[in-house]
Amino acid sequence: MESLKSMRPPLFPHLPERLSGLEDLAENLWWSWNPGARMLFKTLDRQAWKESGHNPDKMLRDFPRELLEKAGTDAGFISKYDDVMDTFHNYMKQKKCRLLDKALPDYKFAVAYFSAEYGLHRSLPFYAGGLGFLAGDYIKECSDLCFPLVAVGFMYPEGYLRQQIRDDGWQENLVEPIYREAAPISKVMDKDGNQLVVKVPLTDPPIYVAVWKVAVGRISLYLMDTDVDINDPWNRGISARLYTGDLEQRLRQEIVLGLGGAEMLRALGVNHYLLHLNEGHAAFALLERIRGAMSAGKGFAAACEKNINTTIFTTHTPVPAGHDVFPFQLIEKYFNSYWPNLDIDRDTFFQLGIHPEKPDAGFNMTAFAMRFSGYRNAVSKRHAEVSRKMWQGLWPDVPEDQVPIDYVTNGVHVPTWIEPKMELLMNKYLGVDWQDKHDDPATWALIDSVPDNELWQTHYWLKVKLIDAIRERSRLRWANGDAGASIMLAGGAFLDPSVLTIGFARRFATYKRALLILNDLERLKKHFKDRWRPIQIIFAGKAHPADDPGKRLLQDLINLARNPQLGGRIAFVEDYGEQLGQYLVHGVDVWLNTPLPPLEACGTSGMKAALNGVPHLSLVDGWWGEGFNGKNGWAVEHEETSDSPDSSDADKIYRILEEEIIPLYYKMSNSGIPHDWVKVMKASMKSNGAGFSARRMVREYIEKFYSRSLERSLKE
Ligand SMILES: *Cc1c(COP(=O)(O)O)cnc(C)c1O
């Protein structure tokens, strides 16, 4: 099917022959984690690159023919172009995965990875938060490791939401429909040259999905889009946006993701050995695997058994709202023609998804996925402990500490999250091939050889860049004429790069306690107003469109930010997403995290910051239980028994700020270098680089689950 791609008309007919490779480059997200490739587009035209939102597809589409022709004869440009294309072709040519020595005779892919969201790049707004970035980083790393995986997800034409703050501080949810033709995605064609459309199995009236593909290095991510003509309007809207609040539509999304995703892979001729469910949203894919085994002659029980050894389920949150539960009457409505195909009756079907302690609550997607996956994991050590407690009811005969839920702590894709200037510095002191060995702690030990002044100057430059970008956003919104002055000032116009800067950016879910650091304003005011050693705090984050308590929290924050008594030292920056996230994790001085333990399953933004020498100040929860080593940041232990946990946690944070962070940061040498602070920066890079990389994570998944499962079936 893919070979038909060559029959496709060129996307950019005005591209000169000498630069024809730019089309392949633009159509593969590999460019997004390769500074050389990004630089190539930027060199073509700085302004156009910026205006396209760093999206080569959009940039090339709109780019004038004369300028392309000129670049095609410019020796300097051509030499850069040839270099990048060589690197790209060499990358794409590698086939052998060093980590997988088991043969897969009958399968094209070892793993099919299903996820409701993917955070890959700002030009593809198919994510809401951490789960999406985890999935995006996961498949990028699989690409780097040549691991034979195929990924399945949704094409959300309306994305998540664009956040804009009204004058009264309330979050408005703007919809910004994606223009498919200018996004780095391509249509998958059928044999007649039309876009491939697949019917979701056993849906009546039928639901259809059109198939798109994103090339993520060597990995193909296939996306389903319900916005096609043959669907009725209600069906067309199924994939409109992420996590719709309407329960029935949500169920229909999960039917499409699970059943439709499995059918799509069949239609693509993509066979795979293992199924990896990234969170319970896609768990219905399990049903299709069981049904498939039954149509090959197995009975229901035997089909389940076979399926179990080849399914991996990753759970991502202990927060109850993160686990979908659907009322039985909705399940009945959509699955009454499904269960006869499994040779089971209604009640048996319902039993597949009941929560043992809440059997009447409905069909629980996590309980279902837990039961029917042979390998289950949480995303940090601490999260595994919490998950075992949460799901012990499924294994009533097993003591809590032996409930079969393992863990693989999340990690971040190093080439995506290391800032290019920081990367250059690493190239200089860690060796040019350090990225090939970035999961080896010995590589990062060389950080000690980086001169303090060079690391500090690089960091300071990134901080200036962050603050410039924030001010420019404020200025643009001001120039738009639709926002009052105080909202603009609250947006960061007063930020000062010489001031100790704390960053806090995350979804405004209440358990994340965004306002914890503002618990004692009088105490903070002293620091905001301190003439010699001031601090400032930059906030960002979206509330879920249906989460009014989250939006109220955000409104309170905006009102504080524009209160003159706080001296302009608090900023709230609109529309936290991949791009702003990059600026923030590179440019602040301290990354703050204040979840209510044990509700943060892992957290990854702190890893992105630490990788760039921004130390972490956090409650001990999620990854910080493993990450903190006494030298690489600051940890706050939460006390279960405390009557007012918020103020006791806040008090500990203030003490750390006052006694450790502020004095350390402002203790500069005569030449303006805070040497002791730089020590903490280095410790944070050293401990984080190898241990919390996506490479370490993917290797662990392969070793703990994928390889074990393969060995088991090869023995059978
Ligand atoms: C990494 C990332 C997240 C997830 O980080 P948490 O620490 O889990 O909150 C969310 N949003 C963006 C834009 C990110 O880059």
Side-chain angles (χ1 to χ4, degrees), residues 127 129-130 133 417 505-506 512 576-578 581 600 603-606 608:
Y127 59 83
F133 284 97
W417 294 104
R506 38 204 64 244
K512 300 216 181 218
Y576 179 47
E578 185 265 339
E600 179 94 312
T604 50
S605 55
K608 299 168 190 167

Side-chain angles (χ1 to χ4, degrees), residues 174-381:
L174 306 187
V175 174
E176 220 171 36
I178 171 172
Y179 177 44
R180 293 174 180 75
E181 303 301 325
I185 53 177
S186 50
K187 288 180 178 165
V188 175
M189 299 303 194
D190 65 15
K191 59 183 182 326
D192 303 320
N194 301 313
Q195 186 171 16
L196 178 66
V197 172
V198 172
K199 177 178 176 270
V200 180
L202 299 168
T203 45
D204 184 25
I207 303 172
Y208 293 93
V209 295
V211 181
W212 298 83
K213 181 181 143 172
V214 188
V216 184
R218 305 182 188 95
I219 301 288
S220 297
L221 162 61
Y222 293 102
L223 301 175
M224 291 177 282
D225 184 359
T226 57
D227 186 15
V228 284
D229 292 341
I230 38 169
N231 277 338
D232 65 38
W234 196 37
N235 283 350
R236 282 182 79 147
I238 290 177
S239 74
R241 65 186 74 151
L242 271 111
Y243 305 134
T244 157
D246 177 278
L247 205 58
E248 182 163 0
Q249 196 67 322
R250 179 92 169 235
L251 172 62
R252 285 149 48 83
Q253 280 190 333
E254 300 191 7
I255 287 172
V256 171
L257 184 60
L259 305 185
E263 180 66 17
M264 172 176 73
L265 292 181
R266 250 179 242 137
L268 288 163
V270 163
N271 66 0
H272 54 278
Y273 173 68
L274 291 156
L275 172 66
H276 188 159
L277 300 170
N278 190 43
E279 195 57 295
H281 309 116
F284 292 135
L286 285 163
L287 294 175
E288 280 297 282
R289 264 169 105 73
I290 297 171
R291 196 170 69 97
M294 289 178 72
S295 66
K298 283 200 171 14
F300 178 69
C304 292
E305 175 109 4
K306 175 174 160 48
N307 177 69
I308 279 176
N309 180 38
T310 54
T311 305
I312 291 126
F313 169 60
T314 304
T315 176
H316 281 271
T317 182
V319 179
H323 302 265
D324 289 311
V325 181
F326 296 110
F328 289 123
Q329 77 269 21
L330 276 182
I331 295 288
E332 164 124 40
K333 178 172 171 190
Y334 287 95
F335 287 93
N336 66 50
S337 57
Y338 201 99
W339 58 68
N341 288 277
L342 301 176
D343 265 349
I344 56 176
D345 60 17
R346 191 183 84 144
D347 283 339
T348 314
F349 189 85
F350 289 176
Q351 293 291 324
L352 307 179
I354 60 163
H355 188 302
E357 284 139 32
K358 292 167 254 175
D360 301 325
F363 194 96
N364 185 307
M365 295 298 279
T366 308
F368 173 51
M370 288 272 181
R371 281 197 182 97
F372 286 88
S373 306
Y375 302 88
R376 307 159 207 89
N377 75 290
V379 291
S380 71
K381 185 159 186 270

Side-chain angles (χ1 to χ4, degrees), residues 253-553:
Q253 280 190 333
E254 300 191 7
I255 287 172
V256 171
L257 184 60
L259 305 185
E263 180 66 17
M264 172 176 73
L265 292 181
R266 250 179 242 137
L268 288 163
V270 163
N271 66 0
H272 54 278
Y273 173 68
L274 291 156
L275 172 66
H276 188 159
L277 300 170
N278 190 43
E279 195 57 295
H281 309 116
F284 292 135
L286 285 163
L287 294 175
E288 280 297 282
R289 264 169 105 73
I290 297 171
R291 196 170 69 97
M294 289 178 72
S295 66
K298 283 200 171 14
F300 178 69
C304 292
E305 175 109 4
K306 175 174 160 48
N307 177 69
I308 279 176
N309 180 38
T310 54
T311 305
I312 291 126
F313 169 60
T314 304
T315 176
H316 281 271
T317 182
V319 179
H323 302 265
D324 289 311
V325 181
F326 296 110
F328 289 123
Q329 77 269 21
L330 276 182
I331 295 288
E332 164 124 40
K333 178 172 171 190
Y334 287 95
F335 287 93
N336 66 50
S337 57
Y338 201 99
W339 58 68
N341 288 277
L342 301 176
D343 265 349
I344 56 176
D345 60 17
R346 191 183 84 144
D347 283 339
T348 314
F349 189 85
F350 289 176
Q351 293 291 324
L352 307 179
I354 60 163
H355 188 302
E357 284 139 32
K358 292 167 254 175
D360 301 325
F363 194 96
N364 185 307
M365 295 298 279
T366 308
F368 173 51
M370 288 272 181
R371 281 197 182 97
F372 286 88
S373 306
Y375 302 88
R376 307 159 207 89
N377 75 290
V379 291
S380 71
K381 185 159 186 270
R382 204 165 259 241
H383 179 222
E385 289 157 16
V386 177
S387 301
R388 288 184 201 121
K389 193 182 247 144
M390 253 177 109
W391 296 102
Q392 170 160 36
L394 288 171
W395 290 273
D397 305 331
V398 171
E400 187 185 302
D401 62 349
Q402 284 165 40
V403 166
I405 301 178
D406 204 334
Y407 72 94
V408 175
T409 305
N410 288 341
V412 297
H413 186 239
V414 169
T416 296
W417 294 104
I418 189 137
E419 203 282 335
K421 242 195 165 56
M422 199 54 89
E423 186 174 343
L424 287 178
L425 189 66
M426 301 297 108
N427 289 350
K428 190 164 156 195
Y429 292 99
L430 271 53
V432 282
D433 60 345
W434 71 271
Q435 294 230 25
D436 298 335
K437 303 176 290 185
H438 78 242
D439 57 340
D440 179 356
T443 301
W444 293 92
L446 294 170
I447 288 279
D448 286 335
S449 64
V450 179
D452 286 1
N453 64 333
E454 288 190 45
L455 184 57
W456 178 250
Q457 275 154 14
T458 306
H459 170 71
Y460 198 81
W461 187 87
L462 294 177
K463 190 163 151 188
V464 170
K465 188 173 151 198
L466 161 72
I467 290 176
D468 280 354
I470 291 176
R471 289 196 188 134
E472 178 63 5
R473 281 177 172 226
S474 262
R475 194 189 65 77
L476 286 173
R477 181 122 194 246
W478 171 249
N480 224 11
D482 65 346
S486 74
I487 283 284
M488 293 305 80
L489 297 179
F494 288 127
L495 290 172
D496 175 349
S498 68
V499 170
L500 167 59
T501 305
I502 298 170
F504 181 100
R506 38 204 64 244
R507 286 181 297 115
F508 269 68
T510 36
Y511 80 88
K512 300 216 181 218
R513 299 193 296 181
L515 271 52
L516 187 84
I517 180 84
L518 306 176
N519 197 275
D520 184 347
L521 282 175
E522 291 311 313
R523 193 160 171 184
L524 268 184
K525 263 188 220 167
K526 278 202 262 1
H527 298 295
F528 290 155
K529 293 188 172 163
D530 188 308
R531 222 174 126 199
W532 305 110
R533 303 193 308 178
I535 65 171
Q536 62 192 0
I537 311 177
I538 305 179
F539 288 93
K542 294 172 180 174
H544 185 281
D547 176 15
D548 280 349
K551 288 187 201 168
R552 269 194 291 277
L553 209 64

